[in-house]
Structure formats: C-alpha cells, structure tokens
Amino acid sequence: MSSTPVNPELDPSDPYNRTAQTFPELSEEMAARVAAFGSEETLAKGTYVFRRGDRGVDFFLVLDGSIEILDVDEEGDPTIITVHRTRQFTGELDLFNQRQVLVSGRTGADSRVIRIKRPDFRRMVTAEPDIAEIIMRAYILRRVGLIRRSRGGVTVVGSSHAGDTLRIEHFLRRNGYPHRLLDTAHDQDAQGFLDCFELTPAELPVVVTPDHTVFRNPSNAELADALGLTETIDPDFVYDLTVVGAGPAGLAAAVYGASEGLSTIVIEAMAPGGQAGTSSKIENYLGFPTGISGQALAGRAQVQAQKFGARLAISRPAVAIAKDGGAYQVTLEGGGIVSSRVVVIATGARYRKLDVENYAKFEGQGIHYAATAMEAQLCQNEEICVVGGGNSAGQAAIYLSRHAKHVYILVRSNGLAASMSDYLVQRIEASPHITLLCETEITALEGESYLQEVTWTDRKNNQVERKAIGNVFVMIGAQPNTDWLEGCVDLDASGFVLTGVHAASDKRLGVMSPYCTSRPGVFAVGDARAGSVKRVASGVGEGSVVVQAIHRYLNPLPVA
Ligand SMILES: Cc1cc2nc3c(=O)[nH]c(=O)nc-3n(C[C@H](O)[C@H](O)[C@H](O)COP(=O)(O)OP(=O)(O)OC[C@H]3O[C@@H](n4cnc5c(N)ncnc54)[C@H](O)[C@@H]3O)c2cc1C
C-alpha cells in the first residue's frame, strides 16, 4: 500500500530510529529553564492535550508520567507513534505556525507537565538558544519521520501517469505534508480500496484523510483549506510588511524582516521554495560544498522565518494590489485581503513552454519542468529528453542520468559553452549516459492518455528521429510572474518590475534603494525584478538587504 520502498522500522536513516535527536531528553538544568516560561499542570491519564486538526497548540514538557502521540490507522483507530516521558517534549514543525497539527497528544498515565503557551514558547526559543537548537533539530527530524513513514498524513489514490495525481503529490511534497500514493496503475491493493470507498476511475485522483473524508480531484487551494495548511488571516490587522512570493528572495525578506522586528506575512501561490524548490541539487550556493536540494533549503528558510514570527499563507495567489489610505491592500484569489504598510514583490518567474502540437495535453503527463526525486522515479531505466542549454537543464540531465537508461539533451544553439557553467558542460561531455543533440528541436509529441513518443528534427540536415520516450524535461528559461501587478508598478517590455534609478519616484541619495519600484512603499527583489541576476544567492541577497530600505521608508530621516 505504501509507496515507500524501504521498511522504516529497520532503516537506520529513518529519523524515528534516531531517538536521541528526534525525541531528546532535556537535562534537569535545561528542564528548569524551560519550566520558567510556562506553568505546571497535573493531568489525569487519558487527557487529550491537543487533537489532530487543532491550530496553535501549546508546547508540553513532561515532568512525571507520559504523553502519547497518536495517529489513526486505516480503520480510523488511534495508534501510538511515540511516547514522551520525563523531560521529553511535544511538538513538531507546526509549533512554529498556525497550521492544523497532524497528530493528537494524550497523557498515557496520571502526569505532571509544564504547559507553555505559544507567545511564551516563541520567547523561550529566542531567549534560550542552546535549548532552541535541540528543539528545532527534533522538530525537523520529527516532520521528516512523519513524511518518511507517511504518518499523520493522507492517502492519494490515482494513477502515477495522471497529471492531477502528479499535481497533488507535488503540492503535498512541496508543502512537507505526509502522504502515501496508492497507484492505481501499479498497485494490486488499489481495486479493493476503490471498492471500499465506492469510487469510479473517473473520480480519480482522490485524497482520503485519516477520518475517511474523500476529496475528489481537489484543487490545490481546496486541499490547503481542507488539510489546514493555510493560516487564517485577520483582515483587520495591518502588518508592517507583506512579502508576495516565498521563493529564495521572498523567504530571505521574511527572515530579515521578521528578525528585525517587522510584523511580516508571506503570501505564496503554491508552496515555499519557488523555482529553487524544484531543483534536485543547488551546488553553487555558498556554504554547501556538496550541494543542497532546493526543497531542503526552502524548508529550512521557512522554519527560520517562522521562528522569528513571520506568518505564511500558502495556496493563495495575490491577484491585485491597491493603496487604501496609509496601507497597501493585497487581494488574494478567492477574495481575502492582506493589509500592510510595505509590500515586497518576490513573485519570481515561471517556465517557458515549447511551441509543439499536443504540448498542453502532455503537461504533467510526460512533460515536466522540474527534476526532483519524484520525477527521477518515473524515469527508471527509460530513455528521456531534456530540452534546454542553461544550468537548470544541465543539472537536470546529470541528475536524471543516474536513474534513466539514457538522457538526450536537445538545444537549438550549436553548443553549450555560451549558456551553461563549465563544470556542468564537462560532466555532460564525460557521461556515457548523456547525448547532446545541437541545433535540434522537438517537432512532435504523441501518446494516448500520456506521452509515449517524441520526434525531433536536426535542423542541420533536417533528419527526423522518432523515439519511444515518455518523459521530457523542458528547461528553457522563464517569464516573470507579474500579471497581478498590472497598473500598480512600472514594468519593462518583458514584464519584469522596474526598480532603482529606472523607476523610483524619489531619486535622492539615501532615500532611493536599488529595489524601490515606481510606487513608494512597494519594493521588488529576485527574479521578478528587471536586471536581477537570476540565481538563488542573488535572490537571497536582495531579499535580505531590501529590509534596510524598508526601515528607511518606514522611519524616514528628517529632511534638512
Ligand atoms: C530547475 C531549476 C534549477 C535551478 N538551479 C539553480 C542553481 O543551482 N543555482 C542557482 O543559483 N539558481 C538556480 N536556479 C534559479 C533560481 O532557482 C532562481 O533564480 C530563484 O529561485 C529565484 O528566486 P525568487 O525568489 O526571485 O523567485 P522564485 O524562485 O521564482 O519564487 C517566486 C515564488 O512566488 C510565487 N508566486 C508567483 N506568483 C505569485 C502570486 N501572484 N502570488 C503569490 N505568490 C506567487 C511562486 O509560486 C514562487 O514560489 C534554478 C531554477 C530552476 C527552475
């Protein structure tokens, strides 16, 4: 039933088997420091201290007795995932945000506990950095363990060839939500499951929650609401800073804004990480000599922003921005409004597509824009195509060549030297599993319900080749996500946001920042900004330093 290939009970890399770090026991001295932030309570055996689906739950440290952490099994009965005993503590990543928690907590015996309320928990994390480090590490490992064991999550039932199954899996994975796939194309248990829930193939994919609620092909926004992934937004609260977009640039702005005392909210259309979140390995980001996956980088940045108090509203694309009195109002798809004194545009860019017949039919059903572990699984021992000559195409080709039978890279130009970093070019040239086809374009895509055959044409001699290929990775650059800004700030001819000397209304030295747009109080950073360097590090840099300009805007020096 599970898509996880390993037996987690035996796997030493499973965080749930690394108990000293995942479920640490604080020293007596540390427990005393923690206790100073909360109040002691005596609870009878069987008392629920939180239940799956609650938001904003408190932190508990066990003094005597125990707290059992419960998931529900497939029959809907509670099962114990772990038991916290003396000087162990409850919680996982959801203690840093307002999402619905994934598990329940219940005293396993008559117990004495320290309860710490949310604001005091945040104070404790800031005031006691050595304890915060232990808690933070444990929380990250606990979430990784939940995902690994598909605990506390949902079951997705559908064909791994179907675009909507992939969309839903991507959405859950990118948001760090535990789930397991019951693949109707390959899994023998699938029919029994469909019969049990009286589902027809036409209703797939479906998402089934532990309480057996069934969502038929839900949209990302529906899913986010149903699973409590979206934080509730108070429409009357005026934040200091709204960051729109949670890619590297937006997350950096949130970390620096929140850590420097600005009340900060991040609005994200899909999931934290942006384009970087779709990269299997970022190798040129400072401090990670062996590389880091985009999703791991984004996950850490998200926790860091939330640790400093930033709020994160996901699956809510911004659709408009306007000024009402002193505050900007960002309108969200579906109608919500977020008010703030300053807005940072960090909506990045989206993938360009190929101009080939049937292209849209195969998006998500053979055509991909990211090369993560999920796509790599689809390519096992198959021939595949990567289209594009930039660094993302190069990274994807090298990564996928470890899984696929053979990788064909198709580029329109006559080589890679001008568009790709030299280290990638060298690895591609050295690989027996990769073939570079220059001046070659895809000219036909065919298949019944999913991609099965690809035809390409060599423009040097017009020779045509047709191959049984079911997975094509299109990595030919991106265009800015700035449609929602229409009329609000000045854009260049390609739609990127103009900033600095090209846009700022007040060009006085000391007032103008390279990130000012044509609207005072609206800034732009990262890939969406005209003239920016389209890289993770530069996006992070821009998102970090824009906060200084925001402080200057909010607290202007008196004019002499
Ligand atoms: C596959 C791949 C591999 C890459 N590898 C590398 C690499 O190795 N090294 C490197 O330096 N760079 C790499 N890059 C480039 C790098 O990822 C980008 O330059 C960087 O992510 C840009 O960051 P950003 O925050 O400006 O924008 P993005 O990463 O594009 O993030 C923008 C975010 O805004 C959200 N958004 C868009 N519209 C809205 C809206 N209306 N409302 C709310 N949210 C919205 C999006 O969902 C997205 O999450 C790679 C890119 C790709 C695609």
Side-chain angles (χ1 to χ4, degrees), residues 174 244-250 267-285 316-319 346-351 369-371 391-392 395 423 475 481 484 525-528 533-539:
R174 293 272 316 270
V244 187
I267 307 297
E268 166 54 48
M270 217 289 239
Q275 297 166 73
T278 67
S279 172
S280 50
K281 204 169 218 191
I282 297 164
E283 289 199 59
N284 57 356
Y285 189 61
R316 287 289 176 271
V319 290
T347 42
R350 64 180 175 276
Y351 316 106
Y369 300 99
N391 279 352
S392 31
Q395 285 168 358
Y423 78 97
M475 297 183 156
N481 293 318
W484 66 285
V525 292
D527 278 18
V533 175
K534 309 311 190 224
R535 289 283 181 276
V536 174
S538 47

